[in-house]
Amino acid sequence: MSMIFTPTRRTFIKSAAALAGATALGGLGAGAAAAAGLTVGFIYVGPKDDFGYNQAHAEGAAAVKAMDGVTVIEEENVPETVDCQKTMESMINFDGATLLFPTSFGYFDPHILEVAAKQPDVRFQHAGGMWNADKHPKNVGSYFGYIGMGQYLNGIAAAHATKTRKIGFVAAKPIPQVLLNINSFLLGARSVDPEITCQVIFTGEWSLAVKEAEATNALADQGVDVITCHVDGPKVVIETAAGRGAFVCGYHADQTSLAPEKYLTGAEWNWAKVYTDMVKTTLDGGTIDNFVRGGLADGFIKMSPLGPAVPEAGRKQFEAVKAEILKGGFAAIKGPLKDNGGKVIAEAGQSFVETDVALESMDYLVEGVIGSLS
Amino acid sequence: MSETDLGVWTVLIAMLGGAIRVSTPYIFVSLGECLTERSGRINLGLEGTLVFGAMSGYAIAYETGSAWAGVLAAALAGTLFGLFHGWVCKLPKVNDIAIGIALMLLGMGLAFFFGKPYIQPVAPDLPTIALGAWSSSPQVEAALRINVLFVVGIALAFFIAWMLRSTRIGLVIRVVGDSADAARAMGISVDRVRLLATAAGGALAGIGGAYLSLYYPGSWNEGVSSGQGLMAVALVIFARWSPVNCIWAALLFGAAGALGPALQSVGVSSGYYLSYAAPYVLTLILLIATSSTTRAVRGAPGELSITK
């Protein structure tokens, strides 16, 4: 479709690029196949092998790359500024991408929204963004997973490992997704032992190695003995915490190899399934839903294998709760529950199941979490 | 002991620990820059050297299995960057600040490019000295776990101060930095002295980078530096071009940087963006307090392009 209407100059550059690519590959076949199939672009805010957020997405992209008739193009270290608009434009105009995954949270507003308005034939899929049918273009979609459930399970493993009954969380920014993770981590732990508290430290940025290490040390100084995090690359937190003798729960991707003895479990994304599904829908001529969500049961998230430090009782409870979550309709946030300022979040009997959209505008830390939002 | 007492002590111990942990790259980069600036040149590219040093140190430590080989490689890489800066600046009508900025971007770009395969692997760490072994408190023990490079950095600061004050080499560097004409009249090759001073400065910045990736935070990734190299250049002005003052400035910055997380950990959690800005506010206050309207910046080498 779009091929017919593209201006001459663009087509020229495109075919020149295809020709150059084919020559480089040493065969015309590869170039021709790429031009005929679907080109999918992935944009990352950091390096795609960061043991974290970007690696999780890049593993999804790698699964897409293995599909027939699909060409994958990727660009990493693209800041959440007008730079990501330039990257999107160039992927569309020069590489002929018609399906884009700009994966970082801050790409959505205004960058994706602006480019999407100019490129109605291109589909934009954004992780975590709040797509709204009334406000946003139809060629934009948002998808996310209920990874808070993974942090809830992390909390259960943490509760069985902690001796001091103090667990800790190194967080980047107080946005709803992060707050849900912190709250879920504590509530998971409190489902085992209601005396447990969770100390949170915000670093203010997605990736600040020294500050993350300082935050981890500050937690360890306080006697916190299980630490998890929500930053882009958990490598520094995991290594520093394990170095201080604390147990760790992972996030985004599997970090077992960084601290095999101290790693309890971890909440991981499973973007490979999500992305291959979406690309398959597109290849079959269908349209991806604008608002896609899924949890453990849908294969959107998965848990790292339990580490050697989780005791038998912990393993049993972990598996039991996981089975319950897999049935669907599980609620971590349920009454009676107050926030850490004493305000009532949920009355007795009231609950927010994992699929509740209200959770995506969370602006509180629950009772038992030590920390504040600003 | 009441709860607030404990909180205050925790924050103080954390700041002491933070000062020791975080300050080392500041010490090395600012010592290097101090040496370079005392010879009359500014090398703004040390942030790039720091990042490249972090990458090359980590890569070599991983390949050879020896953290010290990594430190050596980082120093060597830093020397090359310094030599390049010194050589380009020798050419006529070249601005050392502009070259520095170009080298900063080049160093970071090269480090990101060559560093790709080393983000995942785990390299050996530099050894530490457990000065806090006497204490029964794990907090104190952790705070006093001191890296060898920290000790080396402090010794080096006193050595450089002594060298500048009491040796012939130091005198030559100071003459070149204060008056190129006088140096030429004495038969000193100004360019060669500056070339060597910049190379030595680069080597020190490279070691600072190796500390980042091999000890604290202890892994190579593209966000490892968060601007320490640039801050260290500012620290030199703050320290009034005195190597010994560079230590205090670096320790102060390390401690101020640890303040934010430490305050949050004892429950003073509101306004953390403000406490994270503490080091910069502190610098502003100190610079304003020590400034004067009647005299030029004390201690500034006369040949520096910013003070000329």
Side-chain angles (χ1 to χ4, degrees):
Chain A
M1 246 296 270
S2 64
M3 290 290 285
I4 304 165
F5 297 106
T6 39
T8 334
R9 182 178 153 270
R10 200 177 286 170
T11 325
F12 168 72
I13 294 170
K14 216 190 299 183
S15 41
L19 197 65
T23 322
L25 286 169
L28 210 69
L38 174 72
T39 302
V40 187
F42 288 88
I43 306 173
Y44 316 110
V45 73
K48 61 182 186 186
D49 37 15
D50 61 353
F51 269 107
Y53 188 80
N54 298 295
Q55 179 172 328
H57 285 290
E59 281 168 7
V64 172
K65 212 180 272 181
M67 296 171 75
D68 285 333
V70 181
T71 308
V72 169
I73 46 174
E74 300 173 279
E75 188 167 334
E76 47 185 350
N77 292 321
V78 179
E80 293 173 336
T81 62
V82 76
D83 279 351
C84 89
Q85 296 193 31
K86 288 184 198 153
T87 299
M88 285 188 265
E89 297 271 11
S90 96
M91 281 181 168
I92 296 164
N93 293 332
F94 296 121
D95 302 301
T98 49
L99 174 60
L100 287 184
F101 291 89
T103 54
S104 190
F105 187 81
Y107 290 159
F108 188 72
D109 191 8
H111 308 298
I112 289 178
L113 296 177
E114 273 180 26
V115 180
K118 282 186 264 176
Q119 304 277 2
D121 294 333
V122 178
R123 181 60 192 243
F124 298 78
Q125 287 296 101
H126 179 250
M130 290 292 286
W131 184 81
N132 186 322
D134 303 329
K135 286 191 285 187
H136 299 143
K138 289 277 173 289
N139 57 330
V140 177
S142 84
Y143 59 91
F144 207 63
Y146 306 120
I147 201 160
M149 288 297 125
Q151 283 290 10
Y152 189 84
L153 288 168
N154 273 352
I156 290 176
H160 284 278
T162 180
K163 302 271 184 299
T164 59
R165 290 170 160 181
K166 286 181 183 173
I167 57 178
F169 202 113
V170 178
K173 299 182 182 187
I175 62 167
Q177 284 88 339
V178 178
L179 299 179
L180 178 59
N181 281 335
I182 300 169
N183 292 334
S184 302
F185 185 55
L186 175 79
L187 292 171
R190 283 205 160 181
S191 74
V192 179
D193 177 353
E195 295 295 303
I196 289 176
T197 57
C198 177
Q199 175 83 53
V200 60
I201 294 185
F202 289 101
T203 62
E205 268 305 327
W206 293 112
S207 183
L208 271 182
V210 174
K211 200 147 279 168
E212 286 158 15
E214 274 305 301
T216 311
N217 273 313
L219 288 174
D221 283 344
Q222 283 298 299
V224 166
D225 63 354
V226 186
I227 295 174
T228 188
C229 62
H230 187 163
V231 295
D232 269 357
K235 191 180 179 190
V236 167
V237 173
I238 303 285
E239 287 187 335
T240 311
R244 286 292 301 267
F247 293 109
V248 288
C249 292
Y251 190 62
H252 286 318
D254 189 358
Q255 289 107 22
T256 306
S257 61
L258 294 176
E261 296 302 314
K262 296 290 181 185
Y263 195 79
L264 301 177
T265 181
E268 300 174 35
W269 297 107
N270 190 17
W271 294 130
K273 182 206 174 331
V274 181
Y275 289 170
T276 47
D277 282 357
M278 286 177 174
V279 170
K280 203 165 173 315
T281 307
T282 312
L283 283 174
D284 295 346
T287 312
I288 307 166
D289 289 338
N290 291 89
F291 195 80
V292 180
R293 292 290 185 274
L296 264 178
D298 318 273
F300 275 46
I301 66 168
K302 58 186 177 187
M303 298 302 293
S304 319
L306 285 170
V310 184
E312 198 45 46
R315 286 169 191 272
K316 276 206 188 108
Q317 191 173 2
F318 179 91
E319 295 301 340
V321 176
K322 190 175 163 192
E324 211 171 305
I325 294 173
L326 283 171
K327 279 188 223 152
F330 191 86
I333 309 284
K334 57 175 189 275
L337 187 67
K338 289 181 184 161
D339 72 8
N340 66 0
K343 211 176 98 218
V344 175
I345 303 292
E347 304 285 358
Q350 191 186 1
S351 68
F352 297 91
V353 293
E354 60 170 350
T355 50
D356 199 324
V357 181
L359 295 177
E360 297 190 24
S361 50
M362 182 173 276
D363 58 356
Y364 53 83
L365 292 167
V366 298
E367 192 176 9
V369 177
I370 307 160
S372 70
L373 301 184
S374 59
Chain B
M1 199 185 273
S2 77
E3 204 164 297
T4 43
D5 274 353
L6 193 68
V8 169
W9 277 110
T10 312
V11 172
L12 286 178
I13 292 172
M15 284 176 73
L16 173 70
I20 292 169
R21 285 189 296 259
V22 182
S23 63
T24 309
Y26 286 130
I27 293 181
F28 275 92
V29 180
S30 59
L31 281 181
E33 182 67 14
C34 185
L35 201 58
T36 308
E37 291 194 12
R38 288 296 280 265
S39 80
R41 220 174 244 157
I42 293 174
N43 183 1
L44 274 188
L46 289 186
E47 169 77 6
T49 313
L50 181 85
V51 174
F52 195 86
M55 189 285 294
S56 53
Y58 197 74
I60 297 299
Y62 172 69
E63 297 292 350
T64 62
S66 154
W68 291 109
V71 174
L72 199 68
L76 210 66
T79 310
L80 290 181
F81 272 95
L83 282 176
F84 186 72
H85 185 276
W87 172 71
V88 175
C89 288
K90 191 173 80 172
L91 306 173
K93 309 226 169 164
V94 169
N95 182 299
D96 54 352
I97 292 181
I99 292 298
I101 293 172
L103 270 183
M104 172 168 84
L105 298 173
L106 176 75
M108 292 168 74
L110 284 179
F112 292 178
F113 179 73
F114 290 114
K116 263 288 145 231
Y118 297 103
I119 295 179
Q120 292 266 352
V122 178
D125 272 359
L126 285 167
T128 53
I129 307 167
L131 278 189
W134 50 269
S135 170
S136 56
S137 142
Q139 287 95 324
V140 175
E141 231 174 281
L144 289 180
R145 203 174 296 153
I146 286 175
N147 189 279
V148 181
L149 279 184
F150 176 73
V151 182
V152 173
I154 288 188
L156 204 63
F158 284 100
F159 173 76
I160 292 177
W162 170 78
M163 183 191 78
L164 286 172
R165 194 179 58 237
S166 317
T167 67
R168 184 177 159 73
I169 302 173
L171 181 69
V172 167
I173 294 175
R174 279 190 292 143
V175 170
V176 170
D178 274 330
S179 167
D181 290 339
R184 281 193 199 95
M186 287 165 69
I188 298 169
S189 165
V190 174
D191 284 332
R192 181 178 304 162
V193 172
R194 288 184 180 163
L195 180 76
L196 294 177
T198 317
L204 291 179
I207 296 176
Y211 177 89
L212 279 180
S213 62
L214 290 176
Y215 182 64
Y216 196 77
S219 73
W220 158 249
N221 67 63
E222 286 155 25
V224 74
S225 130
S226 56
Q228 274 106 326
L230 277 177
M231 288 309 300
V233 174
L235 280 187
V236 176
I237 302 173
F238 179 47
R240 302 282 185 245
W241 292 272
S242 150
V244 177
N245 283 351
C246 283
I247 302 179
W248 302 123
L251 284 174
L252 194 68
F253 259 66
L259 182 65
L263 280 179
Q264 281 192 64
S265 79
V266 295
V268 185
S269 50
S270 49
Y272 55 85
Y273 279 107
L274 279 181
S275 56
Y276 283 156
Y280 312 105
V281 176
L282 197 67
T283 315
L284 272 178
I285 292 172
L286 281 169
L287 278 178
I288 292 169
T290 55
S291 71
S292 161
T293 50
T294 52
R295 52 178 168 73
V297 186
R298 197 170 38 190
E303 284 286 317
L304 277 191
S305 45
I306 43 165
T307 50
K308 244 199 280 201

